[in-house]
Amino acid sequence: MYPKIIVQTELKTGDNLILLTKSLQALPERLISGPEMKFIKEQHKIKVEMIPFNRLDHWVVIQFIPEEKEANQRREKCRLAGDKIQLFLNEHKVNQVTLCDVDSDEGETMALLEGMALGTYQFFKYKTDKKGVNTLKKISLNSKKIGKKTLTEFNAILNGVDFARDLVNEPNSYLTATTFANEIESMAVKAGITVELLSKKKLEALQMGGLLGVNKGSHEPPVFIILEYKPSRHRNKQPIVLVGKGIVYDTGGMNLKTESHMENMKTDMAGGAAVAGTLLAVAGAKLPLHMIGLIPATDNRPGPRAIVSGDILRMHNGMTVEVINTDAEGRLILADALSYAKRYDPELVIDLATLTGSAVRAIGKRAIAGMQSDAKKEFDRLSSSGAEVYERIVELPLWDDYGEEIKSDLADIKNLGGPEAGAITAGKFLQKFTSYPYIHLDIAGPSFLDKRDSYRGQGATGVGVRLLMGFFKQKTS
Ligand code: BES
Ligand code: ZN
Ligand code: ZN
């Protein structure tokens, strides 16, 4: 749970205080004593940006806005500063703090708040000793510039990220496809989102050969999760469909992953979690958009009935796929969801998937590999949202000739290309199942971090939720 963030119109004496400012001169003298000002000046001279001091019953933190010309870079530095402040406050067992935007603009203030809030995230569900739990539970915002609507949207986004991170951090011992679906269902019911869960029987009737094929090695049934948010005054005539990869655990199947490659594979449903978290955020912010979420869910395991190399699957859209490698399973379940999406006559479909090691090797954990077909304008808008929220997208091409790699001798296509350009050939595979403006986001790198990286934390990052919300907010403003 993130700290609650509320508006506070008046400063109270005794409150812990953060003063966010561009300059020394702007600091309000009525809040700072002479000796304190002297101390701040000395620190500022030697370029210290965060200056905390203690007043026995409360803390004051002076935070100078980091120097950086470009607005997106400056905001990112504010997020990093926010994380440092929350680390400091939690270390000193502070429960609440008031942030005062002395002369920062809305973007800088909200970025600092965001860094603070995201930085406090912890996953303590399985820890018996709760001693290390963060104490900071409430952040008040004392501002003349920032209104209620901004804060409502902000809290909605945090809730969405929080939800996604919790799901990704859940181990497979708890999170089967069924519990995954149930968690999403109970969130959706509370948020006013319609849910439908398609059982194995229904998937057989729909001939979802990709999802059923991947599920064959499992002792757990698959689920296809359908979410719909349709506010009465939505602006889009045709819905926007989000598709998320929901492999609750990827062992590789019969092409079993070896050594450390399997270690963090509970993150393989991070795309599905991001889709559910985004719908939660959209509903919480009451954005006037008709949205659909599709999440095919199963684990990928070897088992007596598991698919093997050479098997041929008939997919939901009737196409046949030769399985070369059972570890390239994400594209098999997504293909069914992408062809299912056609029934909504969507304006745009965006999928999020921890799809390829190739994307991680190409761009690491700091960016998303993005591809598009027939959606250049929307892709550019999404990319600019990515730059703003710092969930950055690097575009890879979906040029026709890359499709040569996935031609099969026996079936319509195969599920694996050559050893090179694996992120692109995976994208080409998915594109075969689309017939609408389409964006594919490979989040294999940034979805999960082995060690803490500032406000992005350790473990699940919830990547995708802030990116999509930035994009949708722009669309509706
Ligand atoms: N789930 C993995 C991709 C992945 C890698 C996610 C690293 C998160 C971190 C995907 O299903 C996979 O196994 N891809 C393989 C396919 C290959 C063996 C055919 C890959 O890209 O390495
Ligand atoms: Zn795999
Ligand atoms: Zn996978």
Side-chain angles (χ1 to χ4, degrees):
M1 274 293 253
Y2 289 120
K4 216 180 148 114
I5 297 162
I6 56 163
V7 185
Q8 188 180 311
T9 41
E10 262 165 54
L11 290 179
K12 283 185 249 149
T13 42
D15 272 0
N16 297 293
L17 207 58
I18 304 166
L19 300 174
L20 181 60
T21 185
K22 284 191 173 62
S23 67
L24 260 178
Q25 291 73 28
L27 286 172
E29 273 173 22
R30 64 188 167 87
L31 293 176
I32 300 162
S33 73
E36 285 170 350
M37 197 51 125
K38 189 164 168 268
F39 173 68
I40 296 167
K41 278 183 184 159
E42 283 165 8
Q43 295 283 299
H44 186 55
K45 220 185 217 163
I46 55 168
K47 302 251 181 254
V48 180
E49 283 178 346
M50 174 189 158
I51 307 166
F53 52 87
N54 192 326
R55 282 180 179 158
L56 295 181
D57 67 338
H58 68 277
W59 285 93
V60 178
V61 180
I62 310 292
Q63 176 69 51
F64 286 95
I65 309 263
E67 273 184 37
E68 181 67 61
K69 276 205 196 91
E70 209 269 315
N72 289 336
Q73 305 294 337
R74 193 167 62 248
R75 286 180 198 157
E76 175 61 2
K77 285 197 171 170
C78 287
R79 284 184 202 99
L80 300 175
D83 179 56
K84 282 197 184 135
I85 294 176
Q86 72 77 22
L87 285 175
F88 180 88
L89 296 174
N90 279 308
E91 196 182 309
H92 290 88
K93 306 278 173 243
V94 169
N95 303 119
Q96 63 78 32
V97 70
T98 302
L99 170 65
C100 182
D101 57 347
V102 176
D103 70 346
S104 50
D105 67 27
E106 179 172 324
E108 293 156 354
T109 310
M110 295 314 289
L112 189 101
L113 265 182
E114 191 168 47
M116 278 181 78
L118 293 172
T120 61
Y121 176 86
Q122 289 172 307
F123 187 70
F124 257 70
K125 180 173 166 189
Y126 297 98
K127 285 264 192 200
T128 315
D129 183 352
K130 310 278 186 204
K131 247 190 242 143
V133 172
N134 282 332
T135 52
L136 187 63
K137 297 284 180 252
K138 198 175 114 192
I139 306 175
S140 311
L141 177 62
N142 181 259
S143 168
K144 291 206 170 64
K145 298 171 207 155
I146 295 167
K148 246 192 157 160
K149 182 170 177 259
T150 307
L151 268 199
T152 306
E153 283 181 2
F154 182 76
N155 279 314
I157 296 171
L158 286 181
N159 277 338
V161 178
D162 193 43
F163 181 77
R165 283 171 98 173
D166 277 352
L167 280 179
V168 173
N169 281 327
E170 280 289 356
N172 186 226
S173 50
Y174 172 75
L175 206 75
T176 62
T178 304
T179 46
F180 182 43
N182 291 343
E183 290 281 344
I184 290 175
E185 183 178 34
S186 61
M187 169 283 281
V189 169
K190 277 184 236 148
I193 299 166
T194 319
V195 206
E196 192 184 354
L197 303 180
L198 306 185
S199 65
K200 187 172 175 182
K201 254 211 172 114
K202 189 76 211 263
L203 298 177
E204 282 164 355
L206 285 165
Q207 296 181 297
M208 291 222 181
L211 179 53
L212 290 164
V214 173
N215 179 255
K216 276 178 78 183
S218 179
H219 55 299
E220 288 280 342
V223 192
F224 191 93
I225 306 160
I226 303 174
L227 302 171
E228 180 165 20
Y229 180 65
K230 194 175 184 180
S232 51
R233 277 193 309 253
H234 54 274
R235 300 238 185 108
N236 49 336
K237 278 206 195 90
Q238 296 160 267
I240 296 166
V241 178
L242 301 180
V243 175
K245 174 173 172 181
I247 294 290
V248 289
Y249 199 80
D250 185 9
T251 68
M254 291 305 281
N255 292 104
L256 198 63
K257 286 182 186 291
T258 54
E259 294 162 12
S260 64
H261 292 294
M262 207 193 293
E263 228 162 68
N264 290 326
M265 279 304 140
K266 66 176 183 179
T267 193
D268 218 18
M269 35 55 75
V275 167
T278 302
L279 266 109
L280 173 61
V282 168
K286 296 196 167 60
L287 296 188
L289 286 175
H290 180 199
M291 311 253 319
I292 307 284
L294 302 177
I295 309 166
T298 176
D299 46 356
N300 180 29
R301 284 174 187 267
R305 289 178 212 275
I307 52 169
V308 292
S309 314
D311 279 358
I312 294 177
L313 304 174
R314 188 173 289 279
M315 313 295 277
H316 175 59
N317 73 345
M319 272 170 71
T320 55
V321 175
E322 182 185 3
V323 176
I324 303 295
N325 191 312
T326 62
D327 198 8
E329 83 298 339
R331 63 200 76 179
L332 297 173
I333 68 165
L334 289 168
D336 282 345
L338 290 171
S339 41
Y340 191 82
K342 282 175 206 159
R343 68 174 59 204
Y344 298 102
D345 185 22
E347 166 187 311
L348 172 70
V349 176
I350 305 176
D351 85 66
L352 296 101
T354 47
L355 202 64
T356 66
S358 162
V360 192
R361 285 190 292 279
I363 54 175
K365 293 194 161 279
R366 297 179 186 279
I368 298 166
M371 285 147 253
Q372 59 83 24
S373 64
D374 197 22
K376 180 80 185 112
K377 234 194 214 147
E378 300 287 46
F379 187 90
D380 290 344
R381 289 197 184 120
L382 190 66
S383 284
S384 83
S385 160
E388 273 165 34
V389 305
Y390 236 66
E391 292 189 347
R392 293 162 298 176
I393 302 176
V394 175
E395 185 171 11
L396 298 177
L398 284 181
W399 295 325
D400 282 349
D401 43 350
Y402 281 97
E404 299 291 323
E405 303 265 337
I406 50 169
K407 282 190 170 156
S408 160
D409 294 332
L410 297 172
D412 298 333
I413 48 172
K414 56 185 182 182
N415 82 332
L416 194 65
E420 291 153 0
I424 299 175
T425 50
K428 285 306 288 181
F429 181 95
L430 296 178
Q431 190 193 12
K432 302 266 181 217
F433 297 86
T434 68
S435 56
Y436 36 66
Y438 171 55
I439 296 175
H440 162 53
L441 300 174
D442 192 332
I443 57 168
S447 74
F448 198 90
L449 305 173
D450 292 322
K451 52 178 200 297
R452 192 174 195 277
D453 174 28
S454 181
Y455 67 88
R456 297 204 295 158
Q458 184 183 16
T461 60
V463 69
V465 179
R466 293 194 304 121
L467 167 71
L468 291 169
M469 276 302 285
F471 174 67
F472 294 142
K473 272 185 358 191
Q474 222 180 63
K475 234 178 157 35
T476 52
S477 67

